[in-house]
Amino acid sequence: MSSIVIHDHTFKTKISSAEIQKAVADVAKQINKDLKGKKPLFLAVLNGSFMFAADLMKKINIECEISFVKVASYEGTQSTGSMKQLIGINEDIKGRTVVIVEDIVDTGNTIENIWNELNTMGVAELKVATLLFKPEAYTKTVPLDYVAIVIPNDFIVGYGLDYKGLGRNLEDIYVLDYENDKK
Ligand code: IMP
Ligand code: MG
């Protein structure tokens, strides 16, 4: 087990690169089987999903397309908190099989927003592929079709996921190490 410090916190290895690759391969295998002949459009949600999306795509062997979207948060006109809007969709997604590619589903707020917005655009079929899922934190009902790794409700970093901007480049996934934390 290795330990790293990012900003003010200590993290320890949780999921090795080899375990991640195995889980990604399993998801790819399932997608290859389920979506063969449907020419799916993968929509990877930046920034967090870039590494998962790249590794997943290398293992997809059916005809497909990939594009990248971003969720922009902005303050609503009312003082009701922040709204979320999907930006970057240039393809005509009407009638398509669309697979949302996410790094992690935590409370589910983000995926629910994306799901609802894409559903107003006339897609034929909408699927979700997420690298990580925290079932204990999930409060929504959007079906998560492809989950690579289920994790407890702990804060993690690496393989695309960041802690205050750092750690996305790490090959393994690390978890906050409460016992050895300086705080
Ligand atoms: P949700 O909307 O609560 O499902 O959270 C989704 C977003 O929160 C993800 O796309 C991540 O950007 C971020 N997030 C949730 N859990 C973690 C974590 O453990 N580490 C890093 N980012 C996280
Ligand atoms: Mg994300």
Side-chain angles (χ1 to χ4, degrees):
M1 191 193 70
S2 71
S3 196
I4 51 161
V5 175
I6 302 178
H7 292 299
D8 49 344
H9 285 293
T10 307
F11 293 81
K12 60 181 178 184
T13 330
K14 170 86 176 175
I15 309 167
S16 72
S17 166
E19 284 175 81
I20 297 168
Q21 292 307 319
K22 167 77 173 67
V24 173
D26 287 347
V27 162
K29 197 172 164 191
Q30 196 60 47
I31 292 175
N32 285 331
K33 193 171 144 221
D34 293 352
L35 305 184
K36 192 175 181 171
K38 293 188 167 180
K39 213 186 277 188
L41 169 65
F42 291 89
L43 283 183
V45 184
L46 295 173
N47 295 326
S49 76
F50 76 97
M51 232 182 241
F52 172 45
D55 284 340
L56 180 70
M57 293 309 285
K58 286 183 252 178
K59 296 177 172 86
I60 295 293
N61 58 22
I62 58 172
E63 200 178 19
C64 66
E65 291 175 38
I66 183 164
S67 191
F68 298 85
V69 294
K70 206 155 184 170
V71 179
S73 294
Y74 60 94
E75 294 303 311
T77 48
Q78 316 260 300
S79 54
T80 48
S82 71
M83 312 267 286
K84 285 181 175 156
Q85 192 196 7
L86 203 55
I87 56 170
I89 296 184
N90 305 314
E91 292 75 14
D92 183 7
I93 64 171
K94 270 199 200 71
R96 300 287 306 265
T97 291
V98 173
V99 183
I100 306 165
V101 180
E102 262 289 22
D103 53 351
I104 187 164
V105 175
D106 187 12
T107 65
N109 284 327
T110 309
I111 196 69
E112 187 185 58
N113 269 288
I114 297 170
W115 173 268
N116 287 340
E117 194 161 334
L118 289 174
N119 258 326
T120 65
M121 298 180 185
V123 297
E125 191 179 21
L126 196 50
K127 302 276 188 189
V128 177
T130 186
L131 174 72
L132 298 152
F133 175 44
K134 294 180 182 175
E136 291 157 18
Y138 195 52
T139 61
K140 307 295 180 185
T141 56
V142 172
L144 307 176
D145 305 276
Y146 307 104
V147 175
I149 304 168
V150 175
I151 57 167
N153 198 6
D154 298 320
F155 189 80
I156 50 123
V157 67
Y159 195 73
L161 290 114
D162 72 306
Y163 167 51
K164 290 192 200 164
L166 296 181
R168 293 191 196 275
N169 54 308
L170 298 165
E171 204 179 10
D172 305 306
I173 289 175
Y174 293 73
V175 66
L176 195 56
D177 184 0
Y178 294 99
E179 277 167 28
N180 292 306
D181 217 15
K182 286 177 279 179
K183 295 212 156 177

